[in-house]
Structure formats: C-alpha cells, structure tokens
Amino acid sequence: MIEAHDVRTVWVVYKNTDDIEGRGRQYISNVCELEATALRIGRGKYVMGSNCPIKAVTSYRIDGQWYQPSPVVPASDEDKGVQKKIDTERSVSGRAAKAIEAAQKMGLSRDHIEALQEAIPTAK
C-alpha cells in the first residue's frame, strides 16, 4: 500500500482548446502553489480573453515526490503579497458575517446593521 506522507492544497488553472467559442475541451494549464499565482497566470487567458477557471485540488507527497495533475508553478514574491491580501479579506469577511449574525441575535435590525456597515467601511 502506498502512503502519502504530506498533503497540501494546490491551485489548478484550466484552459480550453477552443479560445474563440469555448466549444473545445477544458484542460489543465498549470498547477500553482498559491491561489494568487493561479489568478495571475489565468488572467485574460481563457475563452475570448476571459479569466481562466481555477480550482483547489489536493496534492500528495509520496516517497518525497508531490503528485498532482502537473508540475507546480512556484509563487512569485508579488503572488505572496497578493495571497496575504486574499487571506486577510476572507478572514475579515468571515468575522464580519459572524458579528452580523450575533448582532441580529441580540435584536439589531437589518437597518441598524446596514447603518453600522456604512459608518465602518471595512465591515462590508
């Protein structure tokens, strides 16, 4: 039996064999360490210049080798900075959603919550 010693999430960038109408088949273009890298690589490179779809997939390290659909593109320094922003935004929006839920349970109306969101721009 094969044992996977480490597991990590990598980000897959998909392209289409028909760049004009999208009637071709989707294929994996790149596998990236960070979501930010996948977003950068896929920007404007899909059908009719749209952004490529990306998807998180699981990669497994077996006997010192990572296995996923194709080689992993290393993150650039810029990607690392963008990824920190992505992670921070997700964290802030998750905490804000929990705070809104708690406020509603305490009896604040939707109008009151919206007023607070307008007063504090980062709460949206």
Side-chain angles (χ1 to χ4, degrees):
M1 179 172 192
I2 297 175
E3 287 186 36
H5 301 288
D6 291 306
V7 177
R8 70 178 177 179
T9 299
V10 294
W11 296 87
V12 175
V13 179
Y14 292 93
K15 288 192 177 178
N16 194 295
T17 56
D18 178 5
D19 289 342
I20 307 300
E21 297 183 51
R23 293 184 181 197
R25 63 178 182 82
Q26 247 184 5
Y27 65 94
I28 294 171
S29 166
N30 300 90
V31 179
C32 307
E33 278 183 330
L34 298 177
E35 181 180 10
T37 306
L39 290 168
R40 174 179 54 82
I41 288 173
R43 191 174 300 120
K45 303 278 175 57
Y46 200 57
V47 176
M48 296 180 71
S50 62
N51 295 335
C52 293
I54 63 169
K55 179 182 175 187
V57 298
T58 303
S59 181
Y60 302 92
R61 189 168 73 172
I62 301 169
D63 296 328
Q65 178 69 40
W66 287 101
Y67 291 90
Q68 66 272 330
S70 69
V72 174
V73 176
S76 68
D77 290 338
E78 181 183 354
D79 293 336
K80 292 174 185 176
V82 171
Q83 188 65 44
K84 282 184 181 181
K85 289 179 184 177
I86 290 170
D87 294 343
T88 300
E89 287 173 7
R90 285 190 179 147
S91 174
V92 167
S93 74
R95 289 193 328 261
K98 288 179 183 177
I100 289 170
E101 185 179 328
Q104 287 173 330
K105 287 181 180 178
M106 293 172 60
L108 264 68
S109 70
R110 190 73 199 151
D111 289 337
H112 287 130
I113 293 170
E114 287 175 7
L116 287 171
Q117 286 176 318
E118 289 171 8
I120 307 169
T122 58
K124 290 185 179 181

